[in-house]
């Protein structure tokens, strides 16, 4: 899809996705599934950051509730994810997608389960 992880730290992640004709729906605006993918990905990444040298973390989405708020034309989608609460095996996160840092398109809250990394 062309998503780039642009910022990642403990409890936070940010991703970018340039707009293109392949991301649009019949009205020419960004398709809802693209927004859901960004919301899910950035929320999940916000909870699995590990410092260099620490064990790698992975997570599975248990639930994701999405709210579509706006629509518009622009050049860049920016998604931000924030951890709200971490437990031993589950974490809760929220996320948002902005169009050109100006228009809020969608938000989500999710529940994620840590998963074992198999190498």
């Amino acid at each position: 899809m062309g998503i780039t992880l642009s910022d990642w730290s403990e409890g936070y992640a940010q991703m970018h996705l340039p707009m293109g004709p392949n991301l649009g729906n019949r009205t020419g605006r960004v398709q809802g599934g693209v927004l859901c993918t960004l919301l899910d990905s950035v929320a999940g990444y916000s909870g699995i950051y590990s410092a260099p040298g620490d064990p790698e973390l992975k997570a599975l989405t248990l639930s994701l509730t999405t709210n579509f708020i706006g629509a518009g034309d622009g050049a860049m989608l920016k998604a931000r994810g924030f951890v709200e609460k971490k437990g031993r095996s589950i974490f809760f996160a929220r996320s948002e997608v902005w169009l050109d840092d100006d228009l809020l398109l969608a938000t989500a809250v999710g529940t994620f389960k840590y998963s074992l990394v198999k190498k």
Side-chain angles (χ1 to χ4, degrees):
M1 283 182 68
I3 298 170
T4 302
L5 180 63
S6 58
D7 192 7
W8 198 21
S9 58
E10 184 67 36
Y12 177 76
Q14 182 173 293
M15 296 178 169
H16 294 150
L17 177 62
M19 285 294 297
N22 60 325
L23 302 179
N25 59 21
R26 287 178 276 167
T27 68
R29 303 278 170 77
V30 64
Q31 202 269 346
V34 172
L35 295 174
C36 285
T37 298
L38 277 168
L39 291 164
D40 183 39
S41 297
V42 79
Y45 265 80
S46 73
I48 62 168
Y49 176 80
S50 56
D54 287 351
E56 183 180 357
L57 298 173
K58 298 282 185 182
L60 305 169
T61 306
L62 297 178
S63 71
L64 188 74
T65 303
T66 305
N67 299 296
F68 298 101
I69 296 171
D73 297 314
M76 181 66 71
L77 297 170
K78 283 192 179 177
R80 295 177 182 99
F82 310 88
V83 171
E84 293 294 326
K85 178 95 171 142
K86 272 187 168 187
R88 283 182 286 140
S89 62
I90 292 176
F91 68 93
F92 303 91
R94 63 183 170 86
S95 54
E96 54 195 35
V97 176
W98 291 81
L99 181 61
D100 295 335
D101 281 326
D102 184 45
L103 177 64
L104 181 61
L105 297 180
T107 63
V109 291
T111 305
F112 301 83
K113 180 172 181 55
Y114 290 107
S115 124
L116 295 175
V117 177
K118 295 189 180 193
K119 294 191 176 194

